[in-house]
Amino acid sequence: MSLLSVATNISAYFQWDLAYRFLMRMPALNRRELAWRILQREHTDSASFRVDGFVWNAPVTLGVPLVLFRSGCFQGEEVCAMIDWIRHQELLQPGRDTIIDVGANIGTTSLPMIRGLGCRILAIEPEPRNLHFLRKNLEDNGLSNLACVAPCAILREPGTISLLQPTEDPGGFCVDRARIRAEMGQSALNGAVDVRADRLDSVATEQGFDFARIALVWSDTQGCEEDVMVTGAEFWSRGAPLYTEVEPLSLRRQGVYNTIAGVAAQHFDRYIEAKDIVSLGAAAPVHPICEFASYLANLPGINADVLFLPPNCQLKT
């Protein structure tokens, strides 16, 4: 039985003093997780908390909000490493001051990027509840003036689409396609929501952004990374890199696992593994795009992050 289960059982018998003393012997991360799970069990809808200089408002669910509450960040190592990499490469320049965050969720990448780089952000998020918390987090941290929020999913074909909510990851909404329903089964899904979809270049235009101002695109789209690549071609042609999640399972469910390497090769000529940026910074090795298909095939079934570089993105040594 886990420490969390023991503590919960002690509390259930109203031995509050004993439960408190037991909890104080637990690691801080476990205490925070227990507190979060108790809130969830009590059907608390949302929570506000301050950690590491940020005020966060989040739904009380597993996934991103739990990680954020436990550790104060989500993908914190990757975000911090990319902030340092962007600074070293002097990617942000006068007239080139905007980062696009596709699949912004509740702001776990947008807020640290704004504060760490002083950049502008175009935060794109389709799911209504995530949008609510994204806007509130920007406002409560005094960053709304540096962010533009677009309620939209990024796909090749504009229109109205349905997002599915996996039971195991309430914040990991994915585009509804027949293959996903067949593989996951209805019991693994917790409903759906209809949202607007559009192209990345169209959303940027609609929000009034000059393509030349885009310094970087950050993407976490649950298997729709190929759509981001195709509809962001104007940004890559101007030298903007693409930092994106690569998850074999999501790519297969979206039907692009066998095609994404070819699409990447149409727009980029190199890539860097995010884990190398975390560990080596500016010294991270750069791989030719022809190796990406092999890299993807050898991923051990888990998600990884990759920084794709277009031909006219010149790196400092």
Side-chain angles (χ1 to χ4, degrees):
M1 183 177 290
S2 70
L3 287 174
L4 295 177
S5 299
V6 171
T8 303
N9 289 338
I10 292 173
S11 297
Y13 288 100
F14 303 100
Q15 302 295 321
W16 303 116
D17 183 63
L18 177 60
Y20 178 78
R21 284 186 281 128
F22 182 85
L23 287 173
M24 289 304 100
R25 298 179 66 88
M26 295 172 62
L29 291 182
N30 282 6
R31 289 201 302 270
R32 288 190 177 194
E33 180 165 344
L34 177 60
W36 194 259
R37 289 180 182 273
I38 289 173
L39 288 175
Q40 188 179 35
R41 180 175 293 184
E42 293 299 316
H43 306 292
T44 304
D45 182 64
S46 63
S48 299
F49 51 95
R50 182 186 295 272
V51 60
D52 291 344
F54 284 103
V55 176
W56 292 105
N57 305 276
V60 180
T61 64
L62 302 182
V64 171
L66 171 58
V67 175
L68 186 62
F69 184 71
R70 288 180 76 240
S71 62
C73 59
F74 182 77
Q75 287 191 306
E77 282 191 329
E78 292 87 345
V79 174
C80 289
M82 274 303 297
I83 288 173
D84 290 341
W85 188 89
I86 290 168
R87 286 178 181 149
H88 175 81
Q89 296 297 337
E90 298 179 352
L91 211 62
L92 293 171
Q93 301 284 343
R96 191 179 178 87
D97 59 358
T98 301
I99 292 174
I100 299 180
D101 184 6
V102 184
N105 203 273
I106 64 172
T108 53
T109 298
S110 291
L111 271 66
M113 286 283 187
I114 295 173
R115 185 166 290 180
L117 294 168
C119 63
R120 292 188 57 79
I121 288 280
L122 170 55
I124 302 174
E125 170 57 42
E127 199 279 317
R129 186 169 64 165
N130 284 344
L131 270 170
H132 165 75
F133 289 111
L134 170 62
R135 290 189 171 110
K136 186 165 179 55
N137 288 330
L138 288 165
E139 180 180 352
D140 285 359
N141 288 279
L143 302 175
S144 296
N145 62 319
L146 291 172
C148 178
V149 177
C152 191
I154 299 302
L155 292 177
R156 290 177 175 88
E157 297 297 327
T160 300
I161 56 104
S162 182
L163 291 180
L164 299 176
Q165 183 185 46
T167 304
E168 65 205 27
D169 182 9
F173 286 84
C174 51
V175 174
D176 185 3
R177 289 192 168 111
R179 185 166 182 171
I180 293 178
R181 289 183 177 271
E183 284 192 15
M184 298 184 68
Q186 195 59 42
S187 62
L189 298 172
N190 192 33
V193 58
D194 289 340
V195 301
R196 173 194 168 211
D198 208 342
R199 295 172 54 90
L200 182 55
D201 48 14
S202 298
V203 173
T205 299
E206 178 183 78
Q207 297 298 326
F209 284 92
D210 180 350
F211 292 172
R213 300 193 77 93
I214 307 305
L216 175 83
V217 176
W218 182 290
S219 174
D220 184 351
T221 55
Q222 306 297 310
C224 293
E225 288 75 22
E226 191 174 291
D227 291 272
V228 173
M229 290 180 182
V230 171
T231 65
E234 288 292 336
F235 306 125
W236 328 137
S237 70
R238 288 168 168 79
L242 169 65
Y243 184 101
T244 184
E245 180 183 65
V246 178
E247 183 185 17
L249 179 59
S250 293
L251 294 172
R252 288 190 181 96
R253 287 174 172 171
Q254 293 295 331
V256 298
Y257 179 79
N258 294 320
T259 59
I260 191 169
V263 171
Q266 295 174 20
H267 302 283
F268 309 100
D269 64 349
R270 295 154 293 158
Y271 71 95
I272 305 175
E273 297 179 41
K275 66 178 182 63
D276 290 335
I277 297 176
V278 170
S279 61
L280 300 172
V286 180
H287 305 276
I289 198 65
C290 61
E291 295 180 2
F292 177 69
S294 176
Y295 165 79
L296 179 61
N298 287 304
L299 282 178
I302 60 174
N303 66 306
D305 292 336
V306 170
L307 178 66
F308 287 106
L309 303 170
N312 55 349
C313 178
Q314 301 302 316
L315 298 185
K316 294 173 61 178
T317 56

